[in-house]
Amino acid sequence: MPELIEVLSKEDIARRIAEVAETISHDYRESNLALVCALKGAFVFMADLGRAITVPAQIGFLGVSSYGKSTESSGKAIVTKELDLDVTDMDVLVVEDIVDTGLTLRFIMDYLTSKGARSVKVCTLLDKKERRAIEVQVDYACHLIPDGFLVGYGLDYAEKYRNLPSIYDLKL
Ligand code: IMP
Ligand code: MG
């Protein structure tokens, strides 16, 4: 049986979201903010972060996949659901669950730039900074994670565990 070890509690997650949302609300106080949720992993984070941000924001969803049923990124991201928001001249903040190699994020940023965004920045719940394969700027990171494969709070392994309220290290 796979083992789940809690690494971030509901309280840990909520506390950091409140702090980061305050910073974002300040930084975007004079912008046309559009939050773009990277599906599926970021859907829970989007709901909590979005409600903690106090400046007006449009919300869009973009489906991207790079994993399949593995714990290793395939290194190739594909769009699984087109963006449902016009981001022309908008200040886009990508809402990501986790940045690992950075390849998915690079792909998303290039995609949003090609859609006419005025600026594209990134807010991620989890940052596996040490595992980066390409250079990509993460503007807001809630938690730095050294290693491991994490599930829960939107993150999955082969589509399982997304509905868990805390974040766990999955030991297969
Ligand atoms: P990257 O392209 O290697 O940076 O991978 C980023 C994407 O892979 C994220 O958007 C996640 O969907 C997924 N991912 C990376 N690490 C994990 C993990 O530890 N648990 C679940 N999904 C992950
Ligand atoms: Mg994902």
Side-chain angles (χ1 to χ4, degrees):
M1 271 297 277
E3 198 187 343
L4 294 173
I5 301 160
E6 188 179 272
V7 291
L8 292 170
S9 68
K10 282 192 269 190
E11 293 74 22
D12 295 331
I13 299 167
R15 183 172 18 85
R16 273 300 286 159
I17 288 178
E19 289 170 3
V20 171
E22 192 177 331
T23 307
I24 291 170
S25 301
H26 180 264
D27 294 352
Y28 283 88
R29 64 197 179 283
E30 279 160 15
S31 311
N32 291 323
L33 176 59
L35 300 172
V36 171
C37 174
L39 293 172
K40 293 186 221 175
F43 82 102
V44 182
F45 181 43
M46 174 74 243
D48 285 343
L49 181 76
R51 285 179 296 173
I53 289 173
T54 54
V55 293
Q58 296 186 15
I59 308 278
F61 294 92
L62 171 67
V64 190
S65 178
S66 57
Y67 263 59
K69 285 186 180 170
S70 154
T71 57
E72 278 297 320
S73 176
S74 68
K76 198 174 176 307
I78 53 160
V79 171
T80 55
K81 181 195 166 302
E82 283 291 333
L83 180 62
D84 51 13
L85 181 72
D86 181 5
V87 293
T88 312
D89 296 330
M90 298 294 291
D91 296 302
V92 174
L93 184 63
V94 180
V95 178
E96 253 290 26
D97 53 352
I98 185 162
V99 182
D100 183 16
T101 62
L103 290 164
T104 306
L105 183 57
R106 175 82 274 152
F107 176 84
I108 292 172
M109 294 183 80
D110 291 347
Y111 174 94
L112 291 164
T113 303
S114 79
K115 297 284 178 188
R118 180 164 68 188
S119 65
V120 182
K121 290 190 173 182
V122 180
C123 177
T124 188
L125 175 67
L126 306 172
D127 189 353
K128 287 189 194 168
K129 212 173 176 167
E130 289 157 27
R131 288 187 29 95
R132 213 71 96 237
I134 57 161
E135 204 183 311
V136 58
Q137 185 171 333
V138 172
D139 302 280
Y140 308 93
C142 293
H143 301 274
L144 298 183
I145 300 292
D147 212 349
F149 193 81
L150 306 181
V151 297
Y153 196 78
L155 290 100
D156 75 309
Y157 169 64
E159 295 300 333
K160 287 188 291 216
Y161 310 114
R162 290 195 197 275
N163 61 317
L164 298 177
S166 307
I167 292 176
Y168 301 85
D169 195 337
L170 176 69
K171 301 287 184 204
L172 290 171

